Structure formats: C-alpha cells, structure tokens
Amino acid sequence: AQRVTQPEKLLSVFKGAPVELKCNYSYSGSPELFWYVQYSRQRLQLLLRHISRESIKGFTADLNKGETSFHLKKPFAQEEDSAMYYCALSPISGSARQLTFGSGTQLTVLP
Amino acid sequence: SQTIHQWPATLVQPVGSPLSLECTVEGTSNPNLYWYRQAAGRGLQLLFYSVGIGQISSEVPQNLSASRPQDRQFILSSKKLLLSDSGFYLCAYANTGELFFGEGSRLTVL
C-alpha cells in the first residue's frame, strides 16, 4: 500500500527565511510525486510535480528515492506563500484515482 | 477552456436530512470525475470516482452515494446525514495526470 506522511501540521517562518515542508512516502514501485497548494479562498491546485523538474513560484522539490522523501523548499519565503500544502503520490503513469494525499501542512509566513 | 464548478458553497443541515452536492465540468467530454472529502488534519480522502455516465466506483464504505446522470455532471448525495458527514467536499476532474478541483462545498451537520 502507498502512504504519504507530512509530519508537520503547522509551520511558521518569517518572511525572507528559508522554508522546507517535509514529505515522506512509502511505496514499493516507482512513484510520481506532486505538491498541491490551497491559498486562502482559492481552489486546491497543482504546484509542481517531480517529473517536470521545474521551479514554481521559487519552490523546488527533489525526489530522494534513498530517503523516500519529496521535501518542498524555498530559499526565501514570502507572505503570499502562506497556504495549505499537500504532498501526493501515485504510481508512475497511474490514474488520478490512485493518487494518495498526505494530511497537509499549513504554512504561515510571518511579516 | 475547461472549467469545473460545484455548489452549494456552504450548507448547514440537521442530522437525518438528505444531501445533494452538484458538480459540473465544461469544456471537456467524458472526463474522469472525483469526489474527495477534506477533513482537518486528515488530508484528502477519495470517496468516489467515475469514468463515464452511470459508472461509479466507491473507495470507502460510507453513508454517502454518488451519481453521474450526464457526462459532465457528478452528484454527491445522502438520504440521511450523520454528524460525521461534516466536512469540506471537493469535486475534481483529471487531465494528463493532474487533478483540477472545484471551489469546494463546506457541509456542517448539526
């Protein structure tokens, strides 16, 4: 069975400080990892996926198969980054119904 | 372009009353549709998914049901709500492995 763990329910950092949202997973096959974000009063939406290897809004995430992690990082947090972040996993080329979400981390960036 | 909408946005219902949440998708044909529940501290739980009209798969046993009477319409229902049905419900469709979510419906059962 696949599982996604986000150990921090709440995370607060000051503006300009680095931020890292942790995500660990367990899955026996080859996974595809995602980060979804929900800003206040907005829809839940995809932030980035590991196969794209993109930096979105200054955020990056590297899949570490040895540590089974997919932590989301940003070197300098901004107040507009405050949101709920969900890590998610699916089998490579799997359908969306096979997507497993973590419990989420509420990030607050303080002025 | 593709859009997804769900309503109502908020709903307060007494225990034992019926429920109907509606979701519609525009700009795409035969989408795979999903109903999720977002509970505080518990992430997103997939409740139902549908690959076509009249085709519903349930992921977890529960007090809720889903129907897909039309290609772009997905309905979440209950005949008698329980207190434990309170939560934030999200409808979504999938495209190239990415989920696109509706605005969400917050249900409070009293």
mmCIF file with all atom_site columns, all heavy atoms in Angstrom, chain A residues 34 36 38 43-44 46 49 86 96-97 99 102-103, chain B residues 4 34 38 41 43-44 46 49 96 98-99 101 103:
data_model
loop_
_atom_site.group_PDB
_atom_site.id
_atom_site.type_symbol
_atom_site.label_atom_id
_atom_site.label_alt_id
_atom_site.label_comp_id
_atom_site.label_asym_id
_atom_site.label_entity_id
_atom_site.label_seq_id
_atom_site.pdbx_PDB_ins_code
_atom_site.Cartn_x
_atom_site.Cartn_y
_atom_site.Cartn_z
_atom_site.occupancy
_atom_site.B_iso_or_equiv
_atom_site.pdbx_formal_charge
_atom_site.auth_seq_id
_atom_site.auth_comp_id
_atom_site.auth_asym_id
_atom_site.auth_atom_id
_atom_site.pdbx_PDB_model_num
ATOM 1   N N   . PHE A 1 34  ? 3.844   14.727 -6.208  1.00 0.00 ? 34  PHE A N   1
ATOM 2   C CA  . PHE A 1 34  ? 3.254   16.029 -6.514  1.00 0.00 ? 34  PHE A CA  1
ATOM 3   C C   . PHE A 1 34  ? 3.198   16.869 -5.243  1.00 0.00 ? 34  PHE A C   1
ATOM 4   O O   . PHE A 1 34  ? 3.146   16.342 -4.134  1.00 0.00 ? 34  PHE A O   1
ATOM 5   C CB  . PHE A 1 34  ? 1.802   15.882 -6.998  1.00 0.00 ? 34  PHE A CB  1
ATOM 6   C CG  . PHE A 1 34  ? 1.598   14.941 -8.149  1.00 0.00 ? 34  PHE A CG  1
ATOM 7   C CD1 . PHE A 1 34  ? 1.547   13.573 -7.941  1.00 0.00 ? 34  PHE A CD1 1
ATOM 8   C CD2 . PHE A 1 34  ? 1.410   15.428 -9.425  1.00 0.00 ? 34  PHE A CD2 1
ATOM 9   C CE1 . PHE A 1 34  ? 1.336   12.696 -8.995  1.00 0.00 ? 34  PHE A CE1 1
ATOM 10  C CE2 . PHE A 1 34  ? 1.192   14.567 -10.486 1.00 0.00 ? 34  PHE A CE2 1
ATOM 11  C CZ  . PHE A 1 34  ? 1.157   13.190 -10.261 1.00 0.00 ? 34  PHE A CZ  1
ATOM 12  N N   . TYR A 1 36  ? 0.503   19.877 -4.090  1.00 0.00 ? 36  TYR A N   1
ATOM 13  C CA  . TYR A 1 36  ? -0.670  20.697 -4.352  1.00 0.00 ? 36  TYR A CA  1
ATOM 14  C C   . TYR A 1 36  ? -0.732  21.787 -3.291  1.00 0.00 ? 36  TYR A C   1
ATOM 15  O O   . TYR A 1 36  ? -0.306  21.589 -2.149  1.00 0.00 ? 36  TYR A O   1
ATOM 16  C CB  . TYR A 1 36  ? -1.943  19.864 -4.294  1.00 0.00 ? 36  TYR A CB  1
ATOM 17  C CG  . TYR A 1 36  ? -2.227  19.075 -5.554  1.00 0.00 ? 36  TYR A CG  1
ATOM 18  C CD1 . TYR A 1 36  ? -1.593  17.864 -5.812  1.00 0.00 ? 36  TYR A CD1 1
ATOM 19  C CD2 . TYR A 1 36  ? -3.137  19.542 -6.503  1.00 0.00 ? 36  TYR A CD2 1
ATOM 20  C CE1 . TYR A 1 36  ? -1.848  17.150 -6.967  1.00 0.00 ? 36  TYR A CE1 1
ATOM 21  C CE2 . TYR A 1 36  ? -3.401  18.828 -7.664  1.00 0.00 ? 36  TYR A CE2 1
ATOM 22  C CZ  . TYR A 1 36  ? -2.750  17.640 -7.889  1.00 0.00 ? 36  TYR A CZ  1
ATOM 23  O OH  . TYR A 1 36  ? -3.000  16.923 -9.046  1.00 0.00 ? 36  TYR A OH  1
ATOM 24  N N   . GLN A 1 38  ? -3.216  25.111 -1.580  1.00 0.00 ? 38  GLN A N   1
ATOM 25  C CA  . GLN A 1 38  ? -4.513  25.785 -1.477  1.00 0.00 ? 38  GLN A CA  1
ATOM 26  C C   . GLN A 1 38  ? -4.307  27.091 -0.739  1.00 0.00 ? 38  GLN A C   1
ATOM 27  O O   . GLN A 1 38  ? -4.106  27.111 0.479   1.00 0.00 ? 38  GLN A O   1
ATOM 28  C CB  . GLN A 1 38  ? -5.519  24.911 -0.750  1.00 0.00 ? 38  GLN A CB  1
ATOM 29  C CG  . GLN A 1 38  ? -6.935  25.455 -0.778  1.00 0.00 ? 38  GLN A CG  1
ATOM 30  C CD  . GLN A 1 38  ? -7.938  24.448 -0.256  1.00 0.00 ? 38  GLN A CD  1
ATOM 31  O OE1 . GLN A 1 38  ? -7.620  23.596 0.573   1.00 0.00 ? 38  GLN A OE1 1
ATOM 32  N NE2 . GLN A 1 38  ? -9.169  24.537 -0.744  1.00 0.00 ? 38  GLN A NE2 1
ATOM 33  N N   . ARG A 1 43  ? -8.927  27.743 -4.983  1.00 0.00 ? 43  ARG A N   1
ATOM 34  C CA  . ARG A 1 43  ? -9.056  26.303 -5.173  1.00 0.00 ? 43  ARG A CA  1
ATOM 35  C C   . ARG A 1 43  ? -7.742  25.588 -4.912  1.00 0.00 ? 43  ARG A C   1
ATOM 36  O O   . ARG A 1 43  ? -6.659  26.154 -5.083  1.00 0.00 ? 43  ARG A O   1
ATOM 37  C CB  . ARG A 1 43  ? -9.467  26.002 -6.613  1.00 0.00 ? 43  ARG A CB  1
ATOM 38  C CG  . ARG A 1 43  ? -10.726 26.660 -7.051  1.00 0.00 ? 43  ARG A CG  1
ATOM 39  C CD  . ARG A 1 43  ? -10.992 26.375 -8.504  1.00 0.00 ? 43  ARG A CD  1
ATOM 40  N NE  . ARG A 1 43  ? -12.143 27.138 -8.969  1.00 0.00 ? 43  ARG A NE  1
ATOM 41  C CZ  . ARG A 1 43  ? -13.035 26.673 -9.824  1.00 0.00 ? 43  ARG A CZ  1
ATOM 42  N NH1 . ARG A 1 43  ? -12.905 25.457 -10.318 1.00 0.00 ? 43  ARG A NH1 1
ATOM 43  N NH2 . ARG A 1 43  ? -14.041 27.429 -10.213 1.00 0.00 ? 43  ARG A NH2 1
ATOM 44  N N   . LEU A 1 44  ? -7.869  24.348 -4.534  1.00 0.00 ? 44  LEU A N   1
ATOM 45  C CA  . LEU A 1 44  ? -6.709  23.483 -4.455  1.00 0.00 ? 44  LEU A CA  1
ATOM 46  C C   . LEU A 1 44  ? -6.156  23.312 -5.874  1.00 0.00 ? 44  LEU A C   1
ATOM 47  O O   . LEU A 1 44  ? -6.913  23.055 -6.810  1.00 0.00 ? 44  LEU A O   1
ATOM 48  C CB  . LEU A 1 44  ? -7.133  22.139 -3.869  1.00 0.00 ? 44  LEU A CB  1
ATOM 49  C CG  . LEU A 1 44  ? -6.058  21.109 -3.579  1.00 0.00 ? 44  LEU A CG  1
ATOM 50  C CD1 . LEU A 1 44  ? -5.064  21.635 -2.558  1.00 0.00 ? 44  LEU A CD1 1
ATOM 51  C CD2 . LEU A 1 44  ? -6.697  19.827 -3.068  1.00 0.00 ? 44  LEU A CD2 1
ATOM 52  N N   . LEU A 1 46  ? -2.461  22.281 -8.444  1.00 0.00 ? 46  LEU A N   1
ATOM 53  C CA  . LEU A 1 46  ? -1.136  21.691 -8.528  1.00 0.00 ? 46  LEU A CA  1
ATOM 54  C C   . LEU A 1 46  ? -0.069  22.769 -8.453  1.00 0.00 ? 46  LEU A C   1
ATOM 55  O O   . LEU A 1 46  ? -0.144  23.778 -9.153  1.00 0.00 ? 46  LEU A O   1
ATOM 56  C CB  . LEU A 1 46  ? -0.993  20.913 -9.838  1.00 0.00 ? 46  LEU A CB  1
ATOM 57  C CG  . LEU A 1 46  ? 0.351   20.233 -10.072 1.00 0.00 ? 46  LEU A CG  1
ATOM 58  C CD1 . LEU A 1 46  ? 0.551   19.095 -9.072  1.00 0.00 ? 46  LEU A CD1 1
ATOM 59  C CD2 . LEU A 1 46  ? 0.432   19.704 -11.495 1.00 0.00 ? 46  LEU A CD2 1
ATOM 60  N N   . ARG A 1 49  ? 5.244   18.984 -9.920  1.00 0.00 ? 49  ARG A N   1
ATOM 61  C CA  . ARG A 1 49  ? 5.351   17.525 -9.942  1.00 0.00 ? 49  ARG A CA  1
ATOM 62  C C   . ARG A 1 49  ? 6.803   17.180 -10.253 1.00 0.00 ? 49  ARG A C   1
ATOM 63  O O   . ARG A 1 49  ? 7.465   17.910 -11.005 1.00 0.00 ? 49  ARG A O   1
ATOM 64  C CB  . ARG A 1 49  ? 4.400   16.920 -10.967 1.00 0.00 ? 49  ARG A CB  1
ATOM 65  C CG  . ARG A 1 49  ? 4.581   17.442 -12.373 1.00 0.00 ? 49  ARG A CG  1
ATOM 66  C CD  . ARG A 1 49  ? 3.339   17.251 -13.246 1.00 0.00 ? 49  ARG A CD  1
ATOM 67  N NE  . ARG A 1 49  ? 2.932   15.866 -13.398 1.00 0.00 ? 49  ARG A NE  1
ATOM 68  C CZ  . ARG A 1 49  ? 1.865   15.489 -14.112 1.00 0.00 ? 49  ARG A CZ  1
ATOM 69  N NH1 . ARG A 1 49  ? 1.117   16.397 -14.723 1.00 0.00 ? 49  ARG A NH1 1
ATOM 70  N NH2 . ARG A 1 49  ? 1.538   14.217 -14.212 1.00 0.00 ? 49  ARG A NH2 1
ATOM 71  N N   . TYR A 1 86  ? -0.200  20.193 0.244   1.00 0.00 ? 86  TYR A N   1
ATOM 72  C CA  . TYR A 1 86  ? -0.398  18.751 0.284   1.00 0.00 ? 86  TYR A CA  1
ATOM 73  C C   . TYR A 1 86  ? 0.606   18.063 -0.623  1.00 0.00 ? 86  TYR A C   1
ATOM 74  O O   . TYR A 1 86  ? 0.762   18.430 -1.786  1.00 0.00 ? 86  TYR A O   1
ATOM 75  C CB  . TYR A 1 86  ? -1.801  18.372 -0.188  1.00 0.00 ? 86  TYR A CB  1
ATOM 76  C CG  . TYR A 1 86  ? -2.919  18.769 0.727   1.00 0.00 ? 86  TYR A CG  1
ATOM 77  C CD1 . TYR A 1 86  ? -3.618  19.953 0.523   1.00 0.00 ? 86  TYR A CD1 1
ATOM 78  C CD2 . TYR A 1 86  ? -3.288  17.959 1.798   1.00 0.00 ? 86  TYR A CD2 1
ATOM 79  C CE1 . TYR A 1 86  ? -4.652  20.321 1.363   1.00 0.00 ? 86  TYR A CE1 1
ATOM 80  C CE2 . TYR A 1 86  ? -4.331  18.324 2.641   1.00 0.00 ? 86  TYR A CE2 1
ATOM 81  C CZ  . TYR A 1 86  ? -5.000  19.496 2.419   1.00 0.00 ? 86  TYR A CZ  1
ATOM 82  O OH  . TYR A 1 86  ? -6.022  19.858 3.255   1.00 0.00 ? 86  TYR A OH  1
ATOM 83  N N   . ALA A 1 96  ? -5.470  9.196  -11.803 1.00 0.00 ? 96  ALA A N   1
ATOM 84  C CA  . ALA A 1 96  ? -5.662  10.088 -10.654 1.00 0.00 ? 96  ALA A CA  1
ATOM 85  C C   . ALA A 1 96  ? -6.344  9.371  -9.492  1.00 0.00 ? 96  ALA A C   1
ATOM 86  O O   . ALA A 1 96  ? -6.183  9.765  -8.339  1.00 0.00 ? 96  ALA A O   1
ATOM 87  C CB  . ALA A 1 96  ? -6.460  11.314 -11.076 1.00 0.00 ? 96  ALA A CB  1
ATOM 88  N N   . ARG A 1 97  ? -7.104  8.318  -9.788  1.00 0.00 ? 97  ARG A N   1
ATOM 89  C CA  . ARG A 1 97  ? -7.780  7.631  -8.680  1.00 0.00 ? 97  ARG A CA  1
ATOM 90  C C   . ARG A 1 97  ? -6.788  6.899  -7.796  1.00 0.00 ? 97  ARG A C   1
ATOM 91  O O   . ARG A 1 97  ? -7.124  6.470  -6.703  1.00 0.00 ? 97  ARG A O   1
ATOM 92  C CB  . ARG A 1 97  ? -8.819  6.662  -9.217  1.00 0.00 ? 97  ARG A CB  1
ATOM 93  C CG  . ARG A 1 97  ? -8.264  5.417  -9.890  1.00 0.00 ? 97  ARG A CG  1
ATOM 94  C CD  . ARG A 1 97  ? -9.398  4.491  -10.294 1.00 0.00 ? 97  ARG A CD  1
ATOM 95  N NE  . ARG A 1 97  ? -8.953  3.340  -11.030 1.00 0.00 ? 97  ARG A NE  1
ATOM 96  C CZ  . ARG A 1 97  ? -8.508  2.236  -10.457 1.00 0.00 ? 97  ARG A CZ  1
ATOM 97  N NH1 . ARG A 1 97  ? -8.465  2.149  -9.142  1.00 0.00 ? 97  ARG A NH1 1
ATOM 98  N NH2 . ARG A 1 97  ? -8.128  1.217  -11.193 1.00 0.00 ? 97  ARG A NH2 1
ATOM 99  N N   . LEU A 1 99  ? -4.121  8.324  -6.713  1.00 0.00 ? 99  LEU A N   1
ATOM 100 C CA  . LEU A 1 99  ? -3.382  9.379  -6.019  1.00 0.00 ? 99  LEU A CA  1
ATOM 101 C C   . LEU A 1 99  ? -3.653  9.301  -4.525  1.00 0.00 ? 99  LEU A C   1
ATOM 102 O O   . LEU A 1 99  ? -4.804  9.217  -4.099  1.00 0.00 ? 99  LEU A O   1
ATOM 103 C CB  . LEU A 1 99  ? -3.833  10.725 -6.567  1.00 0.00 ? 99  LEU A CB  1
ATOM 104 C CG  . LEU A 1 99  ? -2.940  11.935 -6.415  1.00 0.00 ? 99  LEU A CG  1
ATOM 105 C CD1 . LEU A 1 99  ? -1.607  11.713 -7.072  1.00 0.00 ? 99  LEU A CD1 1
ATOM 106 C CD2 . LEU A 1 99  ? -3.625  13.145 -7.013  1.00 0.00 ? 99  LEU A CD2 1
ATOM 107 N N   . GLY A 1 102 ? -1.099  13.328 1.397   1.00 0.00 ? 102 GLY A N   1
ATOM 108 C CA  . GLY A 1 102 ? -0.727  13.459 2.792   1.00 0.00 ? 102 GLY A CA  1
ATOM 109 C C   . GLY A 1 102 ? -1.755  14.284 3.536   1.00 0.00 ? 102 GLY A C   1
ATOM 110 O O   . GLY A 1 102 ? -2.728  14.773 2.949   1.00 0.00 ? 102 GLY A O   1
ATOM 111 N N   . SER A 1 103 ? -1.535  14.453 4.830   1.00 0.00 ? 103 SER A N   1
ATOM 112 C CA  . SER A 1 103 ? -2.510  15.152 5.670   1.00 0.00 ? 103 SER A CA  1
ATOM 113 C C   . SER A 1 103 ? -2.392  16.670 5.590   1.00 0.00 ? 103 SER A C   1
ATOM 114 O O   . SER A 1 103 ? -3.218  17.377 6.136   1.00 0.00 ? 103 SER A O   1
ATOM 115 C CB  . SER A 1 103 ? -2.386  14.696 7.126   1.00 0.00 ? 103 SER A CB  1
ATOM 116 O OG  . SER A 1 103 ? -1.068  14.883 7.574   1.00 0.00 ? 103 SER A OG  1
ATOM 117 N N   . ILE B 2 4   ? -14.594 23.826 -13.932 1.00 0.00 ? 4   ILE B N   1
ATOM 118 C CA  . ILE B 2 4   ? -15.339 22.946 -13.040 1.00 0.00 ? 4   ILE B CA  1
ATOM 119 C C   . ILE B 2 4   ? -15.977 23.791 -11.959 1.00 0.00 ? 4   ILE B C   1
ATOM 120 O O   . ILE B 2 4   ? -15.331 24.687 -11.407 1.00 0.00 ? 4   ILE B O   1
ATOM 121 C CB  . ILE B 2 4   ? -14.420 21.848 -12.450 1.00 0.00 ? 4   ILE B CB  1
ATOM 122 C CG1 . ILE B 2 4   ? -15.200 20.943 -11.490 1.00 0.00 ? 4   ILE B CG1 1
ATOM 123 C CG2 . ILE B 2 4   ? -13.191 22.446 -11.794 1.00 0.00 ? 4   ILE B CG2 1
ATOM 124 C CD1 . ILE B 2 4   ? -14.432 19.691 -11.094 1.00 0.00 ? 4   ILE B CD1 1
ATOM 125 N N   . TYR B 2 34  ? -14.167 12.997 -9.809  1.00 0.00 ? 34  TYR B N   1
ATOM 126 C CA  . TYR B 2 34  ? -13.841 12.516 -8.472  1.00 0.00 ? 34  TYR B CA  1
ATOM 127 C C   . TYR B 2 34  ? -14.554 13.354 -7.419  1.00 0.00 ? 34  TYR B C   1
ATOM 128 O O   . TYR B 2 34  ? -14.716 14.566 -7.588  1.00 0.00 ? 34  TYR B O   1
ATOM 129 C CB  . TYR B 2 34  ? -12.320 12.622 -8.234  1.00 0.00 ? 34  TYR B CB  1
ATOM 130 C CG  . TYR B 2 34  ? -11.490 11.923 -9.274  1.00 0.00 ? 34  TYR B CG  1
ATOM 131 C CD1 . TYR B 2 34  ? -11.193 12.542 -10.478 1.00 0.00 ? 34  TYR B CD1 1
ATOM 132 C CD2 . TYR B 2 34  ? -11.027 10.621 -9.064  1.00 0.00 ? 34  TYR B CD2 1
ATOM 133 C CE1 . TYR B 2 34  ? -10.452 11.895 -11.452 1.00 0.00 ? 34  TYR B CE1 1
ATOM 134 C CE2 . TYR B 2 34  ? -10.284 9.969  -10.033 1.00 0.00 ? 34  TYR B CE2 1
ATOM 135 C CZ  . TYR B 2 34  ? -10.004 10.602 -11.222 1.00 0.00 ? 34  TYR B CZ  1
ATOM 136 O OH  . TYR B 2 34  ? -9.265  9.961  -12.186 1.00 0.00 ? 34  TYR B OH  1
ATOM 137 N N   . GLN B 2 38  ? -12.193 16.590 2.417   1.00 0.00 ? 38  GLN B N   1
ATOM 138 C CA  . GLN B 2 38  ? -11.016 17.192 3.039   1.00 0.00 ? 38  GLN B CA  1
ATOM 139 C C   . GLN B 2 38  ? -11.344 17.418 4.509   1.00 0.00 ? 38  GLN B C   1
ATOM 140 O O   . GLN B 2 38  ? -12.129 18.289 4.840   1.00 0.00 ? 38  GLN B O   1
ATOM 141 C CB  . GLN B 2 38  ? -10.686 18.511 2.342   1.00 0.00 ? 38  GLN B CB  1
ATOM 142 C CG  . GLN B 2 38  ? -9.397  19.167 2.773   1.00 0.00 ? 38  GLN B CG  1
ATOM 143 C CD  . GLN B 2 38  ? -9.168  20.482 2.027   1.00 0.00 ? 38  GLN B CD  1
ATOM 144 O OE1 . GLN B 2 38  ? -10.102 21.128 1.572   1.00 0.00 ? 38  GLN B OE1 1
ATOM 145 N NE2 . GLN B 2 38  ? -7.922  20.882 1.890   1.00 0.00 ? 38  GLN B NE2 1
ATOM 146 N N   . GLY B 2 41  ? -6.605  17.931 9.307   1.00 0.00 ? 41  GLY B N   1
ATOM 147 C CA  . GLY B 2 41  ? -5.588  17.044 9.849   1.00 0.00 ? 41  GLY B CA  1
ATOM 148 C C   . GLY B 2 41  ? -5.574  15.649 9.248   1.00 0.00 ? 41  GLY B C   1
ATOM 149 O O   . GLY B 2 41  ? -4.785  14.811 9.662   1.00 0.00 ? 41  GLY B O   1
ATOM 150 N N   . GLY B 2 43  ? -6.023  15.187 5.598   1.00 0.00 ? 43  GLY B N   1
ATOM 151 C CA  . GLY B 2 43  ? -5.754  15.191 4.167   1.00 0.00 ? 43  GLY B CA  1
ATOM 152 C C   . GLY B 2 43  ? -6.993  15.008 3.338   1.00 0.00 ? 43  GLY B C   1
ATOM 153 O O   . GLY B 2 43  ? -8.115  15.212 3.799   1.00 0.00 ? 43  GLY B O   1
ATOM 154 N N   . LEU B 2 44  ? -6.789  14.610 2.103   1.00 0.00 ? 44  LEU B N   1
ATOM 155 C CA  . LEU B 2 44  ? -7.889  14.404 1.168   1.00 0.00 ? 44  LEU B CA  1
ATOM 156 C C   . LEU B 2 44  ? -8.163  12.917 1.024   1.00 0.00 ? 44  LEU B C   1
ATOM 157 O O   . LEU B 2 44  ? -7.271  12.130 0.741   1.00 0.00 ? 44  LEU B O   1
ATOM 158 C CB  . LEU B 2 44  ? -7.557  14.985 -0.206  1.00 0.00 ? 44  LEU B CB  1
ATOM 159 C CG  . LEU B 2 44  ? -7.754  16.470 -0.370  1.00 0.00 ? 44  LEU B CG  1
ATOM 160 C CD1 . LEU B 2 44  ? -6.571  17.225 0.173   1.00 0.00 ? 44  LEU B CD1 1
ATOM 161 C CD2 . LEU B 2 44  ? -7.964  16.816 -1.831  1.00 0.00 ? 44  LEU B CD2 1
ATOM 162 N N   . LEU B 2 46  ? -10.318 10.138 -1.045  1.00 0.00 ? 46  LEU B N   1
ATOM 163 C CA  . LEU B 2 46  ? -11.127 9.884  -2.228  1.00 0.00 ? 46  LEU B CA  1
ATOM 164 C C   . LEU B 2 46  ? -12.371 9.100  -1.840  1.00 0.00 ? 46  LEU B C   1
ATOM 165 O O   . LEU B 2 46  ? -12.278 8.043  -1.218  1.00 0.00 ? 46  LEU B O   1
ATOM 166 C CB  . LEU B 2 46  ? -10.316 9.107  -3.266  1.00 0.00 ? 46  LEU B CB  1
ATOM 167 C CG  . LEU B 2 46  ? -11.050 8.741  -4.554  1.00 0.00 ? 46  LEU B CG  1
ATOM 168 C CD1 . LEU B 2 46  ? -11.489 9.991  -5.307  1.00 0.00 ? 46  LEU B CD1 1
ATOM 169 C CD2 . LEU B 2 46  ? -10.163 7.865  -5.430  1.00 0.00 ? 46  LEU B CD2 1
ATOM 170 N N   . TYR B 2 49  ? -15.211 7.857  -7.643  1.00 0.00 ? 49  TYR B N   1
ATOM 171 C CA  . TYR B 2 49  ? -14.745 8.316  -8.946  1.00 0.00 ? 49  TYR B CA  1
ATOM 172 C C   . TYR B 2 49  ? -15.618 7.704  -10.022 1.00 0.00 ? 49  TYR B C   1
ATOM 173 O O   . TYR B 2 49  ? -16.256 6.670  -9.819  1.00 0.00 ? 49  TYR B O   1
ATOM 174 C CB  . TYR B 2 49  ? -13.267 8.024  -9.183  1.00 0.00 ? 49  TYR B CB  1
ATOM 175 C CG  . TYR B 2 49  ? -12.920 6.569  -9.401  1.00 0.00 ? 49  TYR B CG  1
ATOM 176 C CD1 . TYR B 2 49  ? -12.867 6.031  -10.676 1.00 0.00 ? 49  TYR B CD1 1
ATOM 177 C CD2 . TYR B 2 49  ? -12.621 5.767  -8.317  1.00 0.00 ? 49  TYR B CD2 1
ATOM 178 C CE1 . TYR B 2 49  ? -12.539 4.706  -10.874 1.00 0.00 ? 49  TYR B CE1 1
ATOM 179 C CE2 . TYR B 2 49  ? -12.290 4.433  -8.501  1.00 0.00 ? 49  TYR B CE2 1
ATOM 180 C CZ  . TYR B 2 49  ? -12.244 3.912  -9.772  1.00 0.00 ? 49  TYR B CZ  1
ATOM 181 O OH  . TYR B 2 49  ? -11.915 2.610  -9.960  1.00 0.00 ? 49  TYR B OH  1
ATOM 182 N N   . THR B 2 96  ? -4.235  14.667 -17.975 1.00 0.00 ? 96  THR B N   1
ATOM 183 C CA  . THR B 2 96  ? -2.797  14.371 -18.063 1.00 0.00 ? 96  THR B CA  1
ATOM 184 C C   . THR B 2 96  ? -2.171  14.202 -16.684 1.00 0.00 ? 96  THR B C   1
ATOM 185 O O   . THR B 2 96  ? -1.095  14.758 -16.389 1.00 0.00 ? 96  THR B O   1
ATOM 186 C CB  . THR B 2 96  ? -2.040  15.459 -18.850 1.00 0.00 ? 96  THR B CB  1
ATOM 187 O OG1 . THR B 2 96  ? -2.171  16.716 -18.179 1.00 0.00 ? 96  THR B OG1 1
ATOM 188 C CG2 . THR B 2 96  ? -2.568  15.538 -20.261 1.00 0.00 ? 96  THR B CG2 1
ATOM 189 N N   . GLU B 2 98  ? -2.988  15.356 -13.849 1.00 0.00 ? 98  GLU B N   1
ATOM 190 C CA  . GLU B 2 98  ? -3.189  16.446 -12.892 1.00 0.00 ? 98  GLU B CA  1
ATOM 191 C C   . GLU B 2 98  ? -4.668  16.532 -12.537 1.00 0.00 ? 98  GLU B C   1
ATOM 192 O O   . GLU B 2 98  ? -5.535  16.384 -13.395 1.00 0.00 ? 98  GLU B O   1
ATOM 193 C CB  . GLU B 2 98  ? -2.733  17.765 -13.507 1.00 0.00 ? 98  GLU B CB  1
ATOM 194 C CG  . GLU B 2 98  ? -2.944  18.979 -12.603 1.00 0.00 ? 98  GLU B CG  1
ATOM 195 C CD  . GLU B 2 98  ? -2.446  20.269 -13.229 1.00 0.00 ? 98  GLU B CD  1
ATOM 196 O OE1 . GLU B 2 98  ? -1.725  20.204 -14.239 1.00 0.00 ? 98  GLU B OE1 1
ATOM 197 O OE2 . GLU B 2 98  ? -2.789  21.343 -12.702 1.00 0.00 ? 98  GLU B OE2 1
ATOM 198 N N   . LEU B 2 99  ? -4.938  16.780 -11.269 1.00 0.00 ? 99  LEU B N   1
ATOM 199 C CA  . LEU B 2 99  ? -6.309  16.986 -10.819 1.00 0.00 ? 99  LEU B CA  1
ATOM 200 C C   . LEU B 2 99  ? -6.639  18.472 -10.813 1.00 0.00 ? 99  LEU B C   1
ATOM 201 O O   . LEU B 2 99  ? -5.855  19.294 -10.357 1.00 0.00 ? 99  LEU B O   1
ATOM 202 C CB  . LEU B 2 99  ? -6.494  16.434 -9.412  1.00 0.00 ? 99  LEU B CB  1
ATOM 203 C CG  . LEU B 2 99  ? -6.659  14.919 -9.274  1.00 0.00 ? 99  LEU B CG  1
ATOM 204 C CD1 . LEU B 2 99  ? -6.667  14.529 -7.809  1.00 0.00 ? 99  LEU B CD1 1
ATOM 205 C CD2 . LEU B 2 99  ? -7.936  14.451 -9.948  1.00 0.00 ? 99  LEU B CD2 1
ATOM 206 N N   . PHE B 2 101 ? -9.544  20.999 -9.368  1.00 0.00 ? 101 PHE B N   1
ATOM 207 C CA  . PHE B 2 101 ? -10.567 20.957 -8.332  1.00 0.00 ? 101 PHE B CA  1
ATOM 208 C C   . PHE B 2 101 ? -11.593 22.069 -8.488  1.00 0.00 ? 101 PHE B C   1
ATOM 209 O O   . PHE B 2 101 ? -11.298 23.163 -8.984  1.00 0.00 ? 101 PHE B O   1
ATOM 210 C CB  . PHE B 2 101 ? -9.906  21.083 -6.955  1.00 0.00 ? 101 PHE B CB  1
ATOM 211 C CG  . PHE B 2 101 ? -9.125  19.876 -6.535  1.00 0.00 ? 101 PHE B CG  1
ATOM 212 C CD1 . PHE B 2 101 ? -7.772  19.773 -6.838  1.00 0.00 ? 101 PHE B CD1 1
ATOM 213 C CD2 . PHE B 2 101 ? -9.731  18.855 -5.830  1.00 0.00 ? 101 PHE B CD2 1
ATOM 214 C CE1 . PHE B 2 101 ? -7.043  18.658 -6.452  1.00 0.00 ? 101 PHE B CE1 1
ATOM 215 C CE2 . PHE B 2 101 ? -9.003  17.733 -5.438  1.00 0.00 ? 101 PHE B CE2 1
ATOM 216 C CZ  . PHE B 2 101 ? -7.669  17.632 -5.753  1.00 0.00 ? 101 PHE B CZ  1
ATOM 217 N N   . GLU B 2 103 ? -14.503 24.575 -6.407  1.00 0.00 ? 103 GLU B N   1
ATOM 218 C CA  . GLU B 2 103 ? -14.337 25.527 -5.317  1.00 0.00 ? 103 GLU B CA  1
ATOM 219 C C   . GLU B 2 103 ? -14.537 24.897 -3.945  1.00 0.00 ? 103 GLU B C   1
ATOM 220 O O   . GLU B 2 103 ? -14.137 25.455 -2.934  1.00 0.00 ? 103 GLU B O   1
ATOM 221 C CB  . GLU B 2 103 ? -15.339 26.702 -5.475  1.00 0.00 ? 103 GLU B CB  1
ATOM 222 C CG  . GLU B 2 103 ? -15.298 27.376 -6.831  1.00 0.00 ? 103 GLU B CG  1
ATOM 223 C CD  . GLU B 2 103 ? -16.342 26.813 -7.777  1.00 0.00 ? 103 GLU B CD  1
ATOM 224 O OE1 . GLU B 2 103 ? -16.636 25.600 -7.703  1.00 0.00 ? 103 GLU B OE1 1
ATOM 225 O OE2 . GLU B 2 103 ? -16.847 27.591 -8.611  1.00 0.00 ? 103 GLU B OE2 1
#
